[in-house]
Amino acid sequence: MTNKKSLLTALLLLLCAGIFAQEGSISKDMLNSFRTDFQNKGNTKALQNAVTGNNIQKLAVNYDNPERPDTYFSNRVKTKGITNQKSSGRCWLFASLNVMRPKVIEKYSLKDFEFSQNYSFFYDQLEKANLFLQEIIVHRDKAMDDRTVEWLFKHPIQDGGVWNGFVNVVEKYGLVPAEVMPETFQSENTRMIQKLLSRKLREYGLELRAMAAEGKKAKALETRKTEMLSEVYRILAISMGEPPQTFSWRYEDTEGVISESKEYTPMSFYKEAVGLDLRDYVLMMNDPSRPLNKTFEIEYDRNVHEGINWIYVNLSNEIIKEAAKKSILANEAMYFSCDVGKQLNRDKGILDVNYYDYGDIFDIDFTMDKKERVQTFESGSSHGMTLVAVDLDKEGNIKKWLLENSWGQSGFNGHLIMTDKWFDEYMFRVVVHKKFVPENVLKMMQEEPTMLPPWDPMFAPEN
């Protein structure tokens, strides 16, 4: 019996040795070398004690940072008030509306003003549901594992978005003041409603595909789609209220004078209060993984079926910064998006590439540049804000920037201070009025764009 046990033990040892010895696996010798390297490096025990019991980000603060920014800005757009997207992915909508908000405040000499994000979001969600269902019909004959069909079912709807989604909704549905359609719990906390809508839309998508497989014609599918959208409308209206078709509005100006009440439709209010052609704005981007000075379009990067996709000119940071600087000097805010989670001190509201030094804690280097971070999905546009200020030295050189955020009063009084180096590394999108854009860039926008698939790294809706 003892000999059998010994033989079994020997066989198990040989088996384990074989597993460890397989090419590409971690061997015992490798593990021993890891242990030796770990134990022989200085300060290992002290670092282990510190990191295992504390917040890594706090330990990584670089107190020797020589370029820690102050809170002063030489040039700033006149803005009033801070908005709060709460627990929702609507940053893109807040950022877009906050570009328009100062214009309304100035036009009517208001103490403060806010558009209804809930109103615009309602139609954004209804239109995204229609876009999904319509594309399911378009691609009804493709297999479920077709990459486009698979992508559609993975992303039936989301609360994130980008500037062109704002353009699509406003051009079709107009705008209303916040008090006309105020926020609800569901508009401020979108997680559950997004789950329910996604579940129902996937169910609808399968039903439409089944109808097509049974030989039903496109007209029958369109009829059923309309019935489905009526149910989506019901879900949205119960959750966020029903959007007004007409409303009355009056206001109090900075002198305390109350205006006469006036009747509006959402479209007439937009035309009177804002009165801008949103197609006059140029979508500028810095994606070093793509050729510069070229125009690109991302398929399905929109919310309205007949609307525009995200179409952008890929440019150097220097060109984008110069246009942004001119816009601020002319007192015009801009839509701005970035990879906000990188090197962010949320409490102080600082975006600085030198604020944290994670490599120093672990005695390793993080060496990827912006292009490599994009290509490996390490970095991408994740959050939209409003660019409202720049700090220039005596020679006109840029020192830092200021972003109006939509996280309430967090950070620097509701703002984030961004160093110019951080702009270079983590900025992706800035939307600037064409009057501040060089003529050669405007000509690039007239070119036929290169179409990119929806799974491109730059699709990432901001939230």
Side-chain angles (χ1 to χ4, degrees):
M1 188 69 178
T2 303
N3 289 337
K4 287 184 178 179
K5 284 185 177 180
S6 299
L7 182 59
L8 181 60
T9 302
L11 288 171
L12 288 171
L13 289 172
L14 285 171
L15 179 61
C16 290
I19 292 172
F20 275 102
Q22 288 180 10
E23 185 178 354
S25 66
I26 297 176
S27 68
K28 287 186 175 180
D29 288 341
M30 289 170 66
L31 278 176
N32 288 332
S33 69
F34 297 161
R35 295 187 185 101
T36 300
D37 288 345
F38 174 71
Q39 293 165 3
N40 287 344
K41 283 192 175 180
N43 299 324
T44 293
K45 186 53 98 174
L47 286 170
Q48 187 183 53
N49 289 338
V51 173
T52 55
N54 292 280
N55 183 313
I56 289 179
Q57 193 173 58
K58 290 183 178 180
L59 294 173
V61 172
N62 179 14
Y63 291 101
D64 294 329
N65 181 6
E67 299 178 3
R68 190 170 297 178
D70 60 30
T71 59
Y72 303 104
F73 290 85
S74 61
N75 302 88
R76 183 168 180 170
V77 176
K78 295 177 182 177
T79 60
K80 291 182 179 180
I82 294 296
T83 55
N84 194 338
Q85 68 187 81
K86 300 290 181 68
S87 296
S88 74
R90 300 174 296 158
C91 70
W92 61 280
L93 185 55
F94 278 72
S96 301
L97 290 171
N98 287 339
V99 171
M100 303 294 117
R101 194 159 61 103
K103 299 179 182 298
V104 179
I105 291 173
E106 181 179 13
K107 182 172 186 175
Y108 297 104
S109 299
L110 301 176
K111 297 176 181 178
D112 195 8
F113 175 80
E114 195 169 331
F115 289 104
S116 171
Q117 296 89 6
N118 189 23
Y119 173 84
S120 299
F121 184 59
F122 181 102
Y123 285 117
D124 167 75
Q125 294 292 280
L126 183 63
E127 288 286 353
K128 282 174 178 171
N130 178 63
L131 176 61
F132 168 77
L133 295 173
Q134 187 61 37
E135 291 307 309
I136 289 295
I137 293 173
V138 169
H139 299 284
R140 61 189 179 276
D141 295 328
K142 294 181 179 179
M144 278 294 287
D145 61 357
D146 172 82
R147 191 161 188 185
T148 298
V149 174
E150 183 181 80
W151 185 89
L152 287 168
F153 275 102
K154 281 184 177 179
H155 308 90
I157 198 168
Q158 71 281 327
D159 56 1
V162 284
W163 164 266
N164 57 291
F166 166 73
V167 175
N168 289 334
V169 167
V170 172
E171 287 185 340
K172 190 168 183 178
Y173 296 103
L175 295 168
V176 304
E179 59 268 31
V180 173
M181 188 172 175
E183 297 280 80
T184 70
F185 180 88
Q186 300 304 333
S187 69
E188 294 180 332
N189 300 270
T190 56
R191 183 171 176 269
M192 192 63 199
I193 201 70
Q194 288 292 295
K195 280 189 171 186
L196 294 174
L197 285 172
S198 293
R199 184 187 305 172
K200 196 62 184 172
L201 287 172
R202 289 181 176 119
E203 177 186 316
Y204 286 153
L206 290 175
E207 181 183 338
L208 290 172
R209 286 178 61 84
M211 288 176 64
E214 293 167 0
K216 298 291 175 62
K217 301 298 183 182
K219 186 175 181 180
L221 271 62
E222 291 282 356
T223 299
R224 179 64 185 122
K225 185 196 78 168
T226 301
E227 296 170 350
M228 293 170 174
L229 286 173
S230 180
E231 294 183 351
V232 171
Y233 185 97
R234 176 178 173 79
I235 293 171
L236 293 172
I238 288 174
S239 303
M240 294 183 279
E242 194 170 15
Q245 298 182 54
T246 61
F247 63 94
S248 60
W249 183 64
R250 63 177 182 165
Y251 59 88
E252 181 180 357
D253 66 19
T254 53
E255 302 298 323
V257 178
I258 300 174
S259 72
E260 294 292 328
S261 182
K262 185 177 177 179
E263 294 294 315
Y264 294 92
T265 65
M267 188 57 69
S268 70
F269 180 76
Y270 160 64
K271 289 180 178 179
E272 178 188 300
V274 178
L276 292 173
D277 184 349
L278 298 179
R279 301 294 179 106
D280 285 341
Y281 286 81
V282 179
L283 288 59
M284 310 171 83
M285 194 158 190
N286 177 249
D287 174 8
S289 71
R290 301 282 181 189
L292 295 179
N293 303 317
K294 297 289 183 182
T295 303
F296 295 90
E297 178 177 357
I298 303 180
E299 191 175 11
Y300 299 134
D301 202 351
R302 67 185 189 276
N303 49 0
V304 176
H305 186 262
E306 70 274 20
I308 54 174
N309 284 320
W310 179 268
I311 303 174
Y312 65 89
V313 186
N314 198 31
L315 299 166
S316 68
N317 285 322
E318 289 68 31
I319 294 175
I320 296 174
K321 285 193 278 191
E322 185 60 27
K325 183 171 73 171
K326 289 179 180 178
S327 184
I328 291 170
L329 293 177
N331 195 41
E332 294 204 20
M334 290 152 283
Y335 181 97
F336 175 100
S337 69
C338 60
D339 191 356
V340 74
K342 302 294 193 299
Q343 295 295 103
L344 163 68
N345 182 298
R346 187 160 180 161
D347 294 334
K348 295 183 178 181
I350 296 175
L351 294 164
D352 180 358
V353 295
N354 295 314
Y355 202 93
Y356 299 104
D357 187 354
Y358 297 105
D360 192 52
I361 292 178
F362 300 101
D363 194 21
I364 59 173
D365 295 322
F366 294 94
T367 60
M368 280 194 294
D369 61 21
K370 187 174 184 179
K371 177 180 178 180
E372 293 166 335
R373 289 195 299 269
V374 171
Q375 290 175 325
T376 59
F377 298 91
E378 166 63 19
S379 188
S381 192
S382 63
H383 185 55
M385 293 175 280
T386 310
L387 186 58
V388 296
V390 64
D391 190 27
L392 306 174
D393 63 19
K394 292 180 180 179
E395 287 73 39
N397 299 312
I398 298 169
K399 297 164 66 178
K400 63 181 182 297
W401 305 82
L402 187 68
L403 295 160
E404 180 184 320
N405 205 356
S406 53
W407 295 345
Q409 290 294 331
S410 66
F412 171 57
N413 300 323
H415 296 76
L416 297 181
I417 298 171
M418 168 179 55
T419 67
D420 195 48
K421 289 181 180 178
W422 196 96
F423 187 112
D424 288 336
E425 293 297 323
Y426 298 109
M427 177 281 304
F428 285 101
R429 302 165 173 167
V430 180
V431 179
V432 184
H433 195 278
K434 66 180 184 180
K435 62 187 174 183
F436 305 115
V437 177
E439 191 64 33
N440 66 317
V441 175
L442 295 179
K443 289 180 180 178
M444 293 175 202
M445 284 293 293
Q446 304 307 313
E447 300 172 0
E448 185 69 23
T450 299
M451 182 68 79
L452 302 176
W455 45 86
D456 186 85
M458 285 298 105
F459 180 90
E462 281 110 33
N463 49 45

